[in-house]
Amino acid sequence: MSPPLASMHDAEATPAMPIEAIAAPPSRRHWLRPALAALGLAAVGLVAGFGVEGDVASRAVLVAGVCLVLWLSELVPPFVPTLLLLGATPVVLGPLAPDYRLSSVLTWCADPVLILFLGGFTLEVAAMRHGLDSAVARHVVRWSRGRPRLLLLLVMGGVAFLSMWMSNVAAAAMMLAALRPVLLAAPPGAPLRPALLASVALGANLGGMATPVGSGPNALAVSAASTFAPVTFAGWMAFALPLTALMLLLGFGLILLRFRVSGPLTLPATPATRALSPSGRRVLAVSAACVVAWLTEPLHGVPAPVVALGATALLFGTGLLRREDLGRLDWSTLLLIAGGLALGKLLEHSGVVAHALDGARLEALPREARLGALVVVAAALSALMSNTGTAALLLPLALSVEPSASTPILVAMGCSFGIPFAISTPPNAMAAGEGLDTSELLRLGLPLMAVGCLLVSVTGPWVLRLFGLP
């Protein structure tokens, strides 16, 4: 799940009911997550005390387990476990070995993928400040020309395109705001309203697979895969964009089969679309140049993170973004990704992963079966908890089971398929808050999750080998 949106458009673009209130009844949320977290912490204490041999491994399990429980239960803001991990590791394990002192632990987070995400978040804030995101959403509605099926396709494609470059919460919020007149004008019981809400949710959920900056698991996967082979921005999109397009078309077909939308559509009168301001056009030019530079990295050789740094400096240096916009960047997600990187290093350095897999004899299974199981587990866990937390948990284990460049990428794809419940992602919760029945999300999300996992498990390793990622 993506982090909550923090932008100047929140008051206009998001539903009145907070996402947290939509995701589950208050009475249930009041005790269920703390109770599960308490059970998780107790299990961590038992494993650390009696299930692991050696002081280093035992203490590493304790620190990593507490942070994972806090991440997966979402009892605290997602950046808090990262701060705890970076602070507790030197205190708890530092006396045992120099590798766990603060100076060494901080290097675990020094990964170029964080700079790449910083550039993506900067482009997102610039687009919001100057109205590029809302312009895309308004044009999607206008281009449908009163054809409901075309409207559904454009809505799903438009919100997926936005999710490729920005938070899926932001993308869904912008599209819901643009669709508000259409949703209000839809007659009670008409299939168009739930179909539109489902299109927004599925487009926002699936669009993030297409780019390295589209989701937290993608960032962790790029970092993990780079140990075996470099993954460029263009390289990622070359295999992920067709998969995203295929899943979006499948989702579109399921929506048409489920809701039987047909006939002409009379769009409500809306104010004339405003042209972009000169500053908005400059932001568009910088964003387009940045994306082109990302995609042509094999030609000019400038790494994507360096391009992201240049775009960030240009936007702030030219005054297109101001000092206060620095606070609107999604630092919470950056810290969450940094925590995932540090967690993987902790489990690797301490030997916890190797100990956990001792005696499992997973090498006896075919490679395809091992990868398929990892993809399914990633999707199942992400359906119930944070997909970035799931990736942080699974990637070290996955690389020990199947050490290759393709393994973390397939796990990241699996995390993106965990979408069948209202609590699975914030866009799902937003659609439910607008009136979409949660059973409809299940009817659409479960087949997509199953087909996506099967498709990635069967064809993923072969396709990635074609792109030089064995």
Side-chain angles (χ1 to χ4, degrees):
M1 291 182 288
S2 294
L5 172 64
S7 79
M8 66 287 289
H9 291 296
D10 279 353
E12 298 175 0
T14 53
M17 183 181 298
I19 291 175
E20 289 79 2
I22 298 170
S27 59
R28 181 175 170 227
R29 285 180 58 85
H30 181 70
W31 62 268
L32 181 57
R33 291 198 180 196
L36 291 176
L39 289 175
L41 292 174
V44 167
L46 290 174
V47 173
F50 305 101
V52 182
E53 296 180 0
D55 286 343
V56 171
S58 177
R59 296 186 186 192
V61 166
L62 182 63
V63 173
V66 169
C67 293
L68 274 173
V69 168
L70 293 177
W71 263 324
L72 300 180
S73 64
E74 300 178 344
L75 284 178
V76 296
F79 60 86
V80 172
T82 297
L83 300 178
L84 177 62
L85 177 65
L86 297 178
T89 300
V91 173
V92 178
L93 286 97
L96 301 180
D99 288 345
Y100 302 104
R101 292 172 183 166
L102 182 60
S103 56
S104 299
V105 170
L106 290 178
T107 63
W108 295 349
C109 303
D111 195 289
V113 75
L114 291 175
I115 301 301
L116 182 60
F117 257 69
L118 175 65
F121 291 149
T122 304
L123 294 178
E124 174 184 347
V125 171
M128 289 180 173
R129 170 170 282 284
H130 297 281
L132 268 67
D133 52 352
S134 56
V136 170
R138 290 195 306 269
H139 279 83
V140 161
V141 176
R142 184 168 59 86
W143 289 337
S144 69
R145 300 184 183 276
R147 288 174 284 181
R149 293 189 177 187
L150 180 59
L151 177 61
L152 291 175
L153 183 60
L154 289 173
V155 164
M156 182 176 282
V159 75
F161 174 79
L162 291 174
S163 293
M164 290 164 58
W165 313 103
M166 59 170 39
S167 157
N168 62 2
V169 185
M174 290 300 101
M175 193 60 71
L176 287 173
L179 290 173
R180 188 79 59 201
V182 180
L183 296 173
L184 293 176
L192 180 62
R193 180 181 175 86
L196 283 172
L197 294 174
S199 297
V200 170
L202 294 183
N205 291 333
L206 297 173
M209 292 192 300
T211 65
V213 298
S215 73
N218 294 3
L220 297 178
V222 169
S223 176
S226 64
T227 304
F228 304 93
V231 182
T232 64
F233 203 100
W236 181 285
M237 290 192 70
F239 62 79
L241 189 58
L243 173 64
T244 303
L246 180 60
M247 295 305 299
L248 288 171
L249 288 175
L250 179 58
F252 177 67
L254 289 175
I255 289 174
L256 291 184
L257 287 175
R258 174 60 188 157
F259 297 108
R260 307 288 182 179
V261 176
S262 60
L265 169 66
T266 302
L267 293 175
T270 56
T273 302
R274 299 187 303 273
L276 281 177
S277 64
S279 60
R281 289 193 290 270
R282 288 194 290 271
V283 170
L284 179 60
V286 172
S287 301
C290 183
V291 171
V292 170
W294 279 340
L295 297 178
T296 55
E297 179 183 340
L299 299 179
H300 53 68
V302 180
V306 175
V307 174
L309 274 179
T312 301
L314 186 60
L315 288 170
F316 280 100
T318 58
L320 292 171
L321 288 178
R322 302 170 186 168
R323 183 190 300 268
E324 59 268 22
D325 291 317
L326 192 64
R328 297 191 176 102
L329 299 182
D330 197 349
W331 298 107
S332 176
T333 295
L334 285 174
L335 281 172
L336 174 59
I337 295 170
L341 297 171
L343 178 68
K345 294 291 186 181
L346 173 61
L347 296 177
E348 176 186 344
H349 279 275
S350 62
V352 170
V353 174
H355 176 80
L357 295 175
D358 280 347
R361 301 176 186 248
L362 296 175
E363 65 276 1
L365 297 175
R367 181 173 188 262
E368 291 75 12
R370 296 196 298 268
L371 291 174
L374 290 170
V375 171
V376 171
V377 170
L381 290 177
S382 292
L384 301 172
M385 57 188 66
S386 160
N387 60 4
T388 305
T390 297
L393 169 65
L394 283 183
L395 284 180
L397 293 171
L399 287 171
S400 294
V401 172
E402 185 59 44
S404 67
S406 60
T407 300
I409 296 172
L410 296 178
V411 170
M413 295 294 106
C415 289
S416 295
F417 292 134
I419 58 174
F421 307 120
I423 62 171
S424 297
T425 68
N428 282 8
M430 295 169 71
E434 291 286 346
L436 181 63
D437 197 306
T438 55
S439 64
E440 302 293 356
L441 288 170
L442 184 63
R443 290 189 183 98
L444 297 170
L446 202 56
L448 285 173
M449 177 175 162
V451 172
C453 288
L454 181 63
L455 183 64
V456 167
S457 301
V458 173
T459 67
W462 176 77
V463 171
L464 290 173
R465 276 196 297 271
L466 291 179
F467 291 96
L469 298 171

